[in-house]
């Protein structure tokens, strides 16, 4: 019995250790393994088997000193077994030699000759020209950053089913076409950069949107995205969009402490205590944006950062004119044609020209099916219709926004707004 109790205790420790490594290191391990195997699906299968093996073997052999290294070793063995099961003859020899060659390259090459981080190398590999442009960023989010297809689908305004099918086809294309998961030459970085920036941006946005007490996997996304953005800015300091991306993320991150009050309730941007903003982080973002603008090549992420800067400056200075923000949104929409940008532009137009002008924009956006389950759209729609005096439309939009809200604090905030309308609305309207 003593042995059994000890075995169960160690098993619990093993499970906790495996879960911790899965949470913090899945993307990194998969990046290394996919580079070794040059097959994303096979690497995912091998890593899943390695995590399962961890729960079975650690109670017997004890926790290894380096769980990541142990798991990588097991995963490589599983991957080799998988290659042998799927292939035969020369195909096996070629694939196993590729794994051996890549492993030797990873361990024997100096940091100056390769990317400082293999996750970033895999991000660029996922942007290979043979992979469809529309699936490159989602593929990175799943393989390198460990997001589920459902979460990725939400970020790109498509259904989970459609996203799962697209990801599956992309991995099949990689395998069938033999697309190598190797570090591209430096002259190929620029043509792949847009997709890499999009993946890092989407990862940060997903992590930021989660409540502060969310699962640590989501909170880790913010740190991972910031790390990769900083790394990219150091690798490509002459590329203004890498600087713009990092600047925009730092502007947002600087406000993290102010988005909840002491009771943990959600605080909208317009009501945040600016004294809680991280002034040093904002200064760093300002410096990055100035460096980016000096190149004279304006892009999406510089405009995103410029909008963040304008919003922060307006709050700090007390400026009431929203013309700079509307002009920046005009430029950003002309560049991206994004319905999300159009939505945010409508909110700025409401401040500049009144809610009726914004409601007209919102009505046209209602025809865009991509926004049907986009929670911020319904929250913005509710606020604008409420300001315009259309209680019926506002109440319906609040109901939708509340139902789609994942963050309990945001849900409570919207419920209070809805209740304020109900308390003043005749029963026939409500």
């Amino acid at each position: 019995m003593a042995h059994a109790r000890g075995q169960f205790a160690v098993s619990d420790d093993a499970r906790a250790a495996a879960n911790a490594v899965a949470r913090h290191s899945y993307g990194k391990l998969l990046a290394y393994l996919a580079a070794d195997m040059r097959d994303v699906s096979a690497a995912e299968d091998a890593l899943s088997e390695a995590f399962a093996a961890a729960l079975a073997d650690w109670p017997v052999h004890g926790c290894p000193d380096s769980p990541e290294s142990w798991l990588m070793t097991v995963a490589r063995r599983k991957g080799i077994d998988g290659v042998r099961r799927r292939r035969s003859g020369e195909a096996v020899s070629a694939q196993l030699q590729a794994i051996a060659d890549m492993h030797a390259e990873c361990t024997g090459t100096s940091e100056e000759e390769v990317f400082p981080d293999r996750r970033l190398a895999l991000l660029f590999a996922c942007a290979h020209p043979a992979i469809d442009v529309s699936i490159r960023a989602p593929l990175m989010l799943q393989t390198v950053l460990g997001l589920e297809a459902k979460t990725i689908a939400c970020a790109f305004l498509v259904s989970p089913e459609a996203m799962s099918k697209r990801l599956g086809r992309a991995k099949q294309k990689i395998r069938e076409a033999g697309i190598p998961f190797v570090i591209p030459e430096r002259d190929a970085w620029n043509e792949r950069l847009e997709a890499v920036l999009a993946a890092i941006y989407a990862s940060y946005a997903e992590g930021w949107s989660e409540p502060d007490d969310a699962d640590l996997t989501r909170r880790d996304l913010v740190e991972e995205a910031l790390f990769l953005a900083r790394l990219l800015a150091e690798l490509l300091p002459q590329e203004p969009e890498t600087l713009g991306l990092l600047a925009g993320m730092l502007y947002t991150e600087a406000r993290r402490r102010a988005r909840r009050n002491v009771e943990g309730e959600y605080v909208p941007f317009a009501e945040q205590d600016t004294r809680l903003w991280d002034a040093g982080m904002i200064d760093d973002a300002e410096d990055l944006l100035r460096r980016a603008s000096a190149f004279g090549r304006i892009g999406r992420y510089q405009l995103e950062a410029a909008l963040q800067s304008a919003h922060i400056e307006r709050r700090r200075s007390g400026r009431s004119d929203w013309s700079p923000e509307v002009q920046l949104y005009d430029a950003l929409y002309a560049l991206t044609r994004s319905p999300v940008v159009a939505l945010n532009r409508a909110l700025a137009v409401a401040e500049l020209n009144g809610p009726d002008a914004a409601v007209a924009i919102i009505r046209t956006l209602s025809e865009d099916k991509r926004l049907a389950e986009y929670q911020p759209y319904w929250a913005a729609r509710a606020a604008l219709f409420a300001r315009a005096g259309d209680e019926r439309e506002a109440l319906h939009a609040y109901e939708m926004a509340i139902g789609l809200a994942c963050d309990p604090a945001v849900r409570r905030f919207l419920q209070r707004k809805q209740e304020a309308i109900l308390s003043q609305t005749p029963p026939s309207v409500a």
Side-chain angles (χ1 to χ4, degrees):
M1 291 298 293
H3 174 73
R5 284 196 298 270
Q7 189 174 29
F8 281 121
V10 176
S11 179
D12 290 341
D13 291 342
R15 184 176 291 104
N19 288 336
V21 174
R23 186 174 69 244
H24 292 290
S25 306
Y26 179 85
K28 180 167 61 176
L29 292 173
L30 183 61
Y32 276 85
L33 197 60
D36 280 3
M37 302 182 67
R38 305 182 186 186
D39 185 331
V40 179
S41 295
E44 290 175 328
D45 292 343
L47 195 54
S48 295
E49 291 183 23
F51 278 113
L55 298 181
D57 291 351
W58 283 3
V60 177
H61 300 298
C63 275
D65 293 333
S66 176
E68 285 187 6
S69 298
W70 188 88
L71 282 166
M72 181 56 69
T73 299
V74 174
R76 282 200 176 100
R77 291 171 182 165
K78 298 293 184 183
I80 290 171
D81 290 343
V83 170
R84 287 171 173 154
R85 287 196 302 269
R86 291 190 303 273
R87 303 183 181 184
S88 60
E90 294 182 1
V92 170
S93 299
Q95 181 71 2
L96 297 183
Q97 185 60 49
I99 294 176
D101 291 345
M102 181 59 72
H103 181 49
E105 175 189 329
C106 291
T107 57
T109 308
S110 67
E111 289 188 357
E112 289 75 14
E113 295 176 275
V114 298
F115 279 105
D117 188 278
R118 299 294 293 184
R119 286 165 291 182
L120 200 54
L122 186 54
L123 286 176
F124 274 90
C126 285
H128 190 281
I131 300 174
D132 186 78
V133 173
S134 65
I135 200 60
R136 292 177 188 174
L139 183 62
M140 296 174 204
L141 288 173
Q142 187 179 64
T143 59
V144 183
L145 298 167
L147 291 183
E148 297 177 352
K150 180 180 179 181
T151 302
I152 299 170
C154 182
F156 287 86
L157 304 180
V158 300
S159 71
E161 294 77 13
M163 181 56 70
S164 294
K165 289 179 180 178
R166 292 179 189 177
L167 288 167
R169 286 195 295 267
K171 293 174 186 177
Q172 184 177 0
K173 174 68 176 293
I174 290 169
R175 182 170 57 253
E176 292 178 350
I179 294 173
F181 273 77
V182 296
I183 302 166
E185 296 296 330
R186 184 174 286 269
D187 59 7
W189 291 6
N190 287 340
E191 66 177 341
R192 306 186 187 193
L193 182 60
E194 183 177 350
V196 174
L197 294 174
I200 295 174
Y201 182 74
S203 175
Y204 178 82
E206 176 61 27
W208 169 263
S209 68
E210 288 293 320
D212 287 347
D213 59 350
D215 185 277
L216 288 177
T217 301
R218 290 295 172 263
R219 295 179 64 182
D220 287 344
L221 283 176
V222 169
E223 295 180 6
E224 182 88 345
L226 283 168
F227 170 78
L228 292 172
R230 288 191 175 98
L231 189 57
L232 202 57
E234 292 175 6
L235 281 169
L236 300 174
Q238 303 301 312
E239 175 50 60
E241 281 291 81
T242 65
L243 305 178
L245 174 68
L246 180 56
M249 291 164 63
L250 290 178
Y251 280 127
T252 303
E253 192 65 18
R255 307 195 312 270
R256 178 174 292 278
R257 285 195 304 151
R259 70 174 185 162
R260 297 286 189 275
N261 63 19
V262 292
E263 289 82 25
E265 294 301 317
Y266 170 74
V267 181
F269 177 84
E271 300 173 17
Q272 288 178 4
D273 183 350
T274 59
R275 295 171 299 179
L276 296 176
W277 291 352
D278 189 320
M281 199 173 289
I282 292 173
D283 289 343
D284 289 343
E286 291 285 334
D287 179 63
L288 285 163
L289 188 56
R290 281 193 296 268
R291 287 168 51 194
S293 63
F295 290 99
R297 291 182 280 128
I298 301 300
R300 169 192 173 185
Y301 296 104
Q302 294 169 76
L303 289 172
E304 295 267 13
L307 276 162
Q308 294 274 5
S309 178
H311 286 310
I312 287 174
E313 179 274 328
R314 176 174 40 77
R315 280 297 314 278
R316 283 176 159 179
S317 67
R319 170 175 57 84
S320 59
D321 179 23
W322 280 70
S323 297
E325 283 88 346
V326 172
Q327 291 172 2
L328 286 168
Y329 277 122
D330 286 341
L332 186 59
Y333 183 72
L335 190 65
T336 65
R337 295 294 172 183
S338 165
V340 175
V341 173
L343 174 64
N344 289 324
R345 178 182 176 275
L347 294 173
V349 166
E351 300 299 332
L352 183 65
N353 299 322
D356 290 338
V359 163
I361 299 172
I362 287 291
R363 289 190 185 280
T364 62
L365 288 177
S366 65
E367 301 173 3
D368 194 323
K369 295 182 180 179
R370 292 173 294 177
L371 296 176
E373 295 187 13
Y374 185 58
Q375 193 272 343
Y377 163 73
W378 290 104
R381 182 183 176 95
L384 289 174
F385 275 107
R387 289 180 59 184
D390 191 334
E391 289 85 0
R392 186 186 298 275
E393 285 286 354
L395 289 170
H396 170 68
Y398 271 125
E399 197 66 31
M400 293 294 295
I402 291 167
L404 291 169
C406 297
D407 186 337
V410 171
R411 191 180 306 118
R412 291 191 297 269
F413 172 81
L414 295 171
Q415 288 170 335
R416 289 193 293 270
K417 293 289 186 181
Q418 184 186 49
E419 290 165 1
I421 296 177
L422 287 170
S423 66
Q424 302 174 24
T425 303
S428 59
V429 176

